[in-house]
Amino acid sequence: MNAIISASELASDLAGENPPVLLDIRWQLSTAKAAGEPPFDGRAEYAAGHVPGAVFVDLDADLAGPAGPGGRHPLPDVERFGAVMRAAGVSADRPVVVYDGGQGWAAARAWWLLRWTGHPEVRVLDGGLAAWTGELESGEVTAPVAGTFTPVPESVGRVDADGAAALARSGLLLDARAAERYRGDVEPIDRVGGHIPGAVSAPTTENVAADGRFLPADELAARFKSLGASGTSEVGVYCGSGVSGAHQVLALAVAGVPATLYVGSWSEWSSDPERPVATGPDPQ
């Protein structure tokens, strides 16, 4: 099954006999849109206009646990995550489509978590809400019929800090952050700049076109091959806190390359001064 869905395909599916559950994951990495402005409010953005029938899910509250030693967006409590998904109408026998405001990172986090907990059919709206050309609905959606989804953790692979370090030596570990953060030129969020020794710089922003939609699968496959995805070695991804890294895992899936996610990512790795840090453009 393709990991992404176009807006036209989604419109067709919504009119079909088994329409997908729609989850709106409106979110921004920055805490405020600009200096002096209020923090980004995903729920307010959702209420102002969303794909008809979509249910809002809060990334920070529902798709991650409290920030701490495990990073800024560690895994959520699995039982709570399951309860949130059931309240949103998610069941294992009904497809799910997730979308966000267009960047795709938040939607990819939901996509990855649903796959990690065993949902068999979940896709991301390619290009996000900006790609949707149909009418929008405002206000809160009437509570959907509760779903029956029961999470089964570890249904797809992930790695911890030690696993990521090992993968950087034995396979291919991709760093999905901006190149300047990988090099350590700047570090606006975490304790120290740089990257996991052996990791290869692969900014996730280079997987999409100007409109936010993914590049064609063959172009993505060529990109990842040039970065070292040979088809025989294991591939892993990390980012700042496990959000844009999920988008990279999604891009790899579009390209036909299985990959694991280091959820704690740089926010966990860099918090421990005992862990080694590499700087500059060279992986080592």
Side-chain angles (χ1 to χ4, degrees):
M1 183 192 70
N2 198 347
I4 58 176
I5 184 172
S6 69
S8 60
E9 290 171 327
L10 175 58
S12 177
D13 286 1
L14 287 172
E17 295 182 357
N18 187 32
V21 173
L22 282 175
L23 303 180
D24 182 309
I25 325 289
R26 222 76 64 87
W27 176 83
Q28 282 187 2
L29 176 62
S30 59
T31 57
K33 295 179 181 178
E37 293 189 12
F40 178 80
D41 188 339
R43 186 174 291 277
E45 296 284 336
Y46 161 84
H50 52 265
V51 179
V55 177
F56 179 74
V57 174
D58 188 297
L59 186 148
D60 290 317
D62 302 327
L63 305 183
R72 287 191 305 280
H73 291 106
L75 289 173
D77 176 80
V78 172
E79 290 188 6
R80 185 183 185 284
F81 173 71
V84 168
M85 291 298 102
R86 289 190 293 274
V90 175
S91 297
D93 60 355
R94 187 177 173 190
V96 176
V97 172
V98 294
Y99 71 88
D100 56 27
Q103 190 178 39
W105 294 4
R109 171 74 175 211
W111 168 83
W112 185 86
L113 273 171
L114 280 164
R115 292 178 67 247
W116 180 72
T117 52
H119 198 285
E121 191 173 351
V122 54
R123 290 174 288 177
V124 170
L125 175 59
D126 194 17
L129 185 63
W132 179 254
T133 58
E135 294 184 358
L136 295 178
E137 181 179 50
S138 60
E140 291 287 335
V141 171
T142 302
V145 175
T148 59
F149 179 65
T150 300
V152 181
E154 311 294 351
S155 294
V156 298
R158 67 182 176 100
V159 292
D160 58 11
D162 290 340
L167 189 54
R169 297 188 297 270
S170 65
L172 175 65
L173 181 64
L174 299 176
D175 185 318
R177 298 171 302 156
E180 58 268 25
R181 290 186 69 192
Y182 169 89
R183 294 191 301 267
D185 299 345
V186 298
E187 182 42 64
I189 305 173
D190 294 311
R191 185 185 66 83
V192 64
H195 57 270
I196 297 174
V200 174
S201 180
T204 195
T205 52
E206 296 179 15
N207 295 323
V208 297
D211 62 2
R213 302 184 196 192
F214 281 104
L215 299 176
D218 58 346
E219 292 184 26
L220 288 172
R223 182 192 184 217
F224 292 123
K225 183 177 181 180
S226 72
L227 292 169
S230 63
T232 58
S233 58
E234 185 179 359
V235 178
V237 178
Y238 75 96
C239 57
S241 64
V243 178
S244 67
H247 191 266
Q248 185 97 294
V249 174
L250 175 59
L252 284 154
V254 172
V257 181
T260 58
L261 178 66
Y262 170 27
V263 178
S265 287
W266 189 248
S267 60
E268 178 188 34
W269 182 277
S270 64
S271 68
D272 184 350
E274 297 299 317
R275 293 194 182 104
V277 171
T279 56
D282 186 80
Q284 302 304 325

